[in-house]
Amino acid sequence: MAKFESLTGNDAAAHALRQCKPDVAAAYPITPQTELMHKFAEFVANGKVDTEVILVESEHSAMSAAIGSSAAGARTFTATSANGLALMWEVVYIAASNRLPIVMPEVNRALSGPINIHCDHSDSMGCRDSGWIQLFCENGQEAYDTVIQAFRISENPKVLLPTMICFDGFIISHTNEPVAMLKDEAVSQFVGVYKPDRALLDVENPYTFGPLDLPEWYFEHKRQQVEAMRNSFEVIESVGAEFGKLSGRPYGLMDGYRMEDAEVVLVALGSTCGTARVAVDVAREQGVKAGLLKLRAFRPFPIKQLRQALSKAKVVGVFDRSISFGIEGGPLFHEVRSSLYGGKQPVIPFVYGLGGRDIRVEQIAEAFKTLQQVGKSGAMDRDVEFIGLRD
Amino acid sequence: MAINLKTLSAKPELLAGGHAACAGCTGPTVLRQALLAAETPLVCGSATGCMEVVTTLYPHTAWRTPFIHNAFENSAATMSGVETAFRALRKKGRIPDREIGFIAFGGDGGTYDIGLQSLSGMLERGHKMLYICYDNEAYMNTGIQRSSSTPKGADTTTAPAGSVKAGKEQNRKDLTAIVIAHNPAYVAQATPSDPRDFMAKVQKALKADGPSFINCIAPCHRGWRCKPDSGIAIAQLAVETCFWPLFEWERPGKFTVNYKPKEKKPLEEWLKLQGRFKHLFEPKNKPILDELQRDVDSRWVELLAAEERTKDVQVK
Ligand SMILES: Cc1ncc(C[n+]2csc(CCOP(=O)(O)OP(=O)(O)O)c2C)c(N)n1
């Protein structure tokens, strides 16, 4: 029987990082990521982990130093939120294109402006095309588990891409929940030691990282990133399965709840999936054949698996915790709808929870009813519905 | 290692020929001299800019040391990550236990302007690495735009000399002084026209117990509008006029002036060789010329005074 500890998501992630024994970390404080780095700094200060920590003067330098460190051959992490990620944006892309397996807990927070410190997914969505693997977590346990898996996924030679572990600011990062931790040795064995083929510190075999790439080659290099992303599907699944054997908690690309006979299905990311599970039960009591599809991997986006999982659904609703101005529905909605292209089901957009606004069970149960009505009406399209918004 | 032709000619060139720099560019001369001076293996990095562009045209590289280019404003941060990884992996016994030198390069744009924060952070954190700014006094890679290192009055594409404006309206930023204010281990100004002086400084900097910085003048004949074969001579004239004094600053605060011209040449001799200052010789711009000379004079006096003031400071 696993031993549970009461940990915040930030502390759980910090423990996972400690157990993965990173060589180098570079970070800069921003709410709600701060406590993760406080905890990690405490581990360093007390000799619980011997990571060299670079306390940089900005997030841009955090990612820049992480790139230098990872290219040098060191297992490297950083962590951030919202404006910090936005400030990094330029180098977030460079990390991926250099094929550096940097791991980054990304504690989701709304992007300015107006400035707001609470949860939404606008920050992660802002760099969905940066070439990073993006895995979303439902709770502190998943944040812990996903950090550990992230090193294995990123450092796999068929992948060599950085991974963002996205978990909801405050809702997960600052909430105490029971978290089952693995033994230090078990994690250490599971992640192993990072030994890259090419490293700057291998002075006998000098490599040039980050050369100027003109039209003759740039396209081919982008294509290689595409292949790496394609390879990552299988690696995410196999690492998730192996982790399951170790912990009893297997992971895949997505996870369904009451999907067997579900006719009205909601697709969502992150902590809302916990609330949505209860809402599925409520909706079922009210006579709606509801189901939930929790997406874990947003990048790579598992089109085939999603299509398969939703093949029996009559109506699909998509919950976005971020907005895409000038088009109906958020980024998740558009990915889901394009995955289902050619299908017969209506796919309906909802936007909720921006800037940390709460989402409640009744609101999601209500959304299930709306979806059922849309299904009956035979309409295929509908403008986005904003949940819990003042008129 | 002695810096003489005999020992230097026995060392391998770490920057291969065949790179794409303009004929007569002094940037690669700065790089080669720095690389040749090192007494340990090196890992180098550079900010975006001419030197990065001309040396790393994929699928070629001129670098025979490991090299990383990340972006424009983060050469110092990137190399501070490399240096930290070195300490981390050495401590864990995962790399051979020996010294490696770390050099970050950047142009004046990547150092004085957009990369100043990253440089400041690296200096403050105390990474044991050398930052070399090759200062060609403008953003050359993108077409000769003014930087905060561009001298007052210079004609650049973003602050051109026209009928109502006489080029750049502001004075240069004194970056070397800003770096010294961080109290790093070692700071110097150098020129590729005096390789012995520059290379000795690189050796000192790489051995220093903490961060070090060398600001090296690097004439760009395209931007300065001088003869392509005159770059090194113009660099030396910058020293002879005291526009670009050669000096060192060592912790805990000792200034040493490495070269004192017997006869300090008038600044005009340096300015008149460069097309970017041509308009300053129109009578209406005489006040600017005078101001530039006054500025050089007062800085030189200040520097000599600083040397005198700190002559008893003991360097460890
Ligand atoms: C963030 C960012 N802004 C602007 C640029 C465009 N840019 C590339 S190199 C350069 C100028 C470099 O000037 P400098 O550092 O003086 O080096 P030089 O080209 O003169 O060698 C500029 C403006 C860029 N690459 N990145």
Side-chain angles (χ1 to χ4, degrees):
Chain A
M1 183 60 199
K3 189 170 151 273
F4 287 95
E5 312 219 11
S6 171
L7 294 176
T8 63
N10 273 340
D11 284 0
H15 271 287
L17 288 162
R18 171 184 60 74
Q19 293 179 311
C20 293
K21 299 184 182 155
D23 302 309
V24 174
Y28 190 81
I30 181 165
T31 303
Q33 159 266 32
T34 37
E35 277 85 351
L36 189 163
M37 287 312 297
H38 296 176
K39 192 76 191 168
F40 193 81
E42 211 178 287
F43 292 145
V44 174
N46 293 302
K48 306 278 187 222
V49 64
D50 63 353
T51 306
E52 291 289 336
V53 183
I54 318 177
L55 299 172
V56 283
E57 80 300 331
S58 73
E59 286 89 355
H60 194 285
S61 284
M63 185 54 73
S64 300
I67 288 169
S69 162
S70 184
R75 177 174 287 163
T76 306
F77 85 90
T78 179
T80 196
S81 296
N83 298 41
L85 183 63
L87 186 62
M88 277 182 189
W89 198 73
E90 176 195 33
V91 270
V92 165
Y93 276 67
I94 294 172
S97 73
N98 273 308
R99 308 294 300 277
L100 299 171
I102 298 165
V103 164
M104 174 162 69
E106 211 292 291
V107 189
N108 288 110
R109 158 178 162 177
L111 279 177
S112 297
I115 191 164
N116 172 299
I117 59 170
H118 294 279
C119 174
D120 73 31
H121 296 159
S122 51
D123 50 0
S124 299
M125 291 302 167
C127 47
R128 67 189 156 147
D129 293 334
S130 63
W132 282 60
I133 291 172
Q134 295 182 314
L135 303 176
F136 280 79
C137 307
E138 184 184 322
N139 49 41
Q141 182 71 63
E142 290 195 7
Y144 171 84
D145 293 346
T146 305
V147 164
I148 295 169
Q149 293 167 62
F151 286 102
R152 279 285 302 278
I153 296 165
S154 281
E155 291 169 8
N156 185 300
K158 288 200 296 200
V159 178
L160 287 180
L161 292 173
T163 298
M164 236 175 251
I165 299 106
C166 308
F167 60 91
D168 290 344
F170 293 105
I171 302 165
I172 297 177
S173 67
H174 284 59
T175 306
N176 274 74
E177 288 181 285
V179 174
M181 291 209 293
L182 295 167
K183 292 235 159 56
D184 287 1
E185 314 82 72
V187 175
S188 181
Q189 256 188 8
F190 182 79
V191 297
V193 173
Y194 176 49
K195 287 201 207 80
D197 279 351
R198 293 168 193 188
L200 287 170
L201 292 174
D202 182 6
V203 288
E204 268 78 41
N205 299 293
Y207 276 101
T208 288
F209 284 72
L212 175 66
D213 217 8
L214 294 177
E216 286 78 12
W217 287 104
Y218 181 89
F219 207 167
E220 279 71 19
H221 290 137
K222 290 291 125 183
R223 164 62 187 268
Q224 290 178 349
Q225 286 179 249
V226 170
E227 290 303 328
M229 270 288 177
R230 285 181 180 157
N231 295 342
S232 72
F233 284 116
E234 197 193 311
V235 175
I236 293 168
E237 288 189 295
S238 65
V239 169
E242 200 186 316
F243 186 82
K245 287 203 193 106
L246 181 70
S247 63
R249 298 183 297 275
Y251 284 81
L253 299 162
M254 57 186 66
D255 194 14
Y257 180 67
R258 300 188 83 166
M259 285 292 288
E260 307 74 39
D261 61 342
E263 293 178 352
V264 180
V265 177
L266 196 74
V267 182
L269 297 166
S271 63
T272 302
C273 294
T275 316
R277 240 182 278 270
V278 181
V280 166
D281 294 343
V282 170
R284 289 232 170 207
E285 276 162 29
Q286 294 168 349
V288 184
K289 280 197 171 169
L292 167 72
L293 190 65
K294 171 175 91 175
L295 199 61
R296 180 181 185 227
F298 185 75
R299 282 292 181 273
F301 195 89
I303 291 184
K304 281 191 214 124
Q305 295 86 341
L306 189 103
R307 219 181 230 276
Q308 176 65 33
L310 294 175
S311 61
K312 283 186 262 163
K314 295 202 171 117
V315 195
V316 176
V318 183
F319 262 40
D320 265 290
R321 198 163 199 153
S322 64
I323 209 159
S324 187
F325 296 105
I327 188 165
E328 295 298 319
L332 181 61
F333 166 72
H334 289 282
E335 310 296 43
V336 171
R337 190 164 68 171
S338 82
S339 302
L340 297 176
Y341 177 73
K344 297 276 182 295
Q345 321 103 308
V347 186
I348 306 302
F350 296 88
V351 166
Y352 74 100
L354 299 191
R357 180 152 304 174
D358 273 343
I359 177 87
R360 298 192 313 273
V361 172
E362 313 84 76
Q363 292 170 312
I364 304 178
E366 195 56 37
F368 276 121
K369 281 194 202 153
T370 307
L371 287 172
Q372 194 178 38
Q373 280 156 20
V374 172
K376 283 185 186 144
S377 76
M380 287 299 281
D381 265 329
R382 198 160 180 274
D383 280 356
V384 65
E385 180 169 325
F386 298 105
I387 298 180
L389 183 72
R390 281 188 196 82
D391 281 332
Chain B
M1 183 192 78
I3 300 168
N4 56 47
L5 286 179
K6 193 160 167 249
T7 49
L8 293 179
S9 60
K11 289 195 76 184
E13 274 280 0
L14 294 174
L15 191 80
H19 54 69
C22 304
C25 175
T26 61
T29 316
V30 172
L31 302 185
R32 284 176 56 215
Q33 291 180 10
L35 299 181
L36 212 47
E39 295 165 285
T40 62
L42 292 174
V43 178
C44 299
S46 175
T48 312
C50 285
M51 285 310 100
E52 165 266 329
V53 164
V54 302
T55 58
T56 69
L57 273 158
Y58 187 88
H60 304 290
T61 179
W63 294 87
R64 293 186 178 131
T65 68
F67 175 84
I68 182 165
H69 159 249
N70 187 344
F72 185 21
E73 64 285 70
N74 61 4
S75 183
T78 305
M79 288 307 293
S80 74
V82 178
E83 186 271 342
T84 306
F86 167 71
R87 278 186 282 116
L89 296 182
R90 194 187 195 190
K91 175 176 78 180
K92 293 181 176 180
R94 300 232 307 273
I95 53 170
D97 185 22
R98 60 155 173 226
E99 291 302 326
I100 294 181
F102 298 94
I103 309 182
F105 292 97
D108 47 289
T111 310
Y112 284 65
D113 289 343
I114 198 166
L116 182 61
Q117 174 182 318
S118 158
L119 173 66
S120 173
M122 179 280 280
L123 295 167
E124 184 271 336
R125 293 191 301 272
H127 296 274
K128 189 175 170 339
M129 58 176 269
L130 165 60
Y131 191 107
I132 298 180
C133 175
Y134 65 94
D135 187 351
N136 56 26
E137 301 191 330
Y139 301 163
M140 297 311 182
N141 186 49
T142 37
I144 320 170
Q145 295 88 12
R146 68 84 95 175
S147 78
S148 60
S149 168
T150 305
K152 183 171 190 167
D155 180 23
T156 57
T157 52
T158 45
S163 56
V164 296
K165 301 244 187 193
K168 189 184 169 189
E169 293 176 311
Q170 302 80 13
N171 284 311
R172 299 183 71 233
K173 182 191 278 182
D174 187 352
L175 179 68
T176 313
I178 293 171
V179 171
I180 290 170
H182 287 77
N183 197 31
Y186 179 83
V187 181
Q189 276 196 179
T191 169
S193 60
D194 191 341
R196 213 181 279 266
D197 175 79
F198 177 36
M199 292 168 77
K201 286 172 175 169
V202 170
Q203 291 186 345
K204 250 187 175 170
L206 285 171
K207 280 188 212 141
D209 184 24
S212 52
F213 176 86
I214 300 178
N215 205 353
C216 192
I217 194 168
C220 161
H221 63 78
R222 298 276 295 114
W224 294 17
R225 284 187 272 136
C226 53
K227 292 212 184 89
D229 62 1
S230 69
I232 294 295
I234 285 185
Q236 187 55 32
L237 201 49
V239 176
E240 303 291 345
T241 54
C242 297
F243 172 83
W244 192 263
L246 302 183
F247 68 95
E248 296 172 285
W249 179 93
E250 288 164 280
R251 206 150 58 191
K254 185 182 178 63
F255 280 91
T256 308
V257 182
N258 308 102
Y259 177 73
K260 290 169 192 156
K262 285 206 184 61
E263 180 204 347
K264 182 163 162 278
K265 298 217 162 114
L267 186 65
E268 281 187 19
E269 286 193 26
W270 185 67
L271 299 173
K272 73 183 180 218
L273 295 178
Q274 305 173 50
R276 62 176 173 155
F277 297 119
K278 193 166 159 234
H279 57 287
L280 295 187
F281 292 91
E282 292 164 22
K284 66 172 181 194
N285 290 327
K286 178 83 169 56
I288 301 178
L289 276 185
D290 292 345
E291 191 193 330
L292 287 170
Q293 182 66 62
R294 272 200 310 276
D295 189 50
V296 165
D297 292 346
S298 66
R299 283 172 188 277
W300 179 241
V301 169
E302 265 174 48
L303 182 63
L304 294 175
E307 181 184 47
E308 178 60 25
R309 197 172 58 240
T310 62
K311 67 178 191 298
D312 296 328
V313 172
Q314 291 297 314
V315 175
K316 274 176 240 113

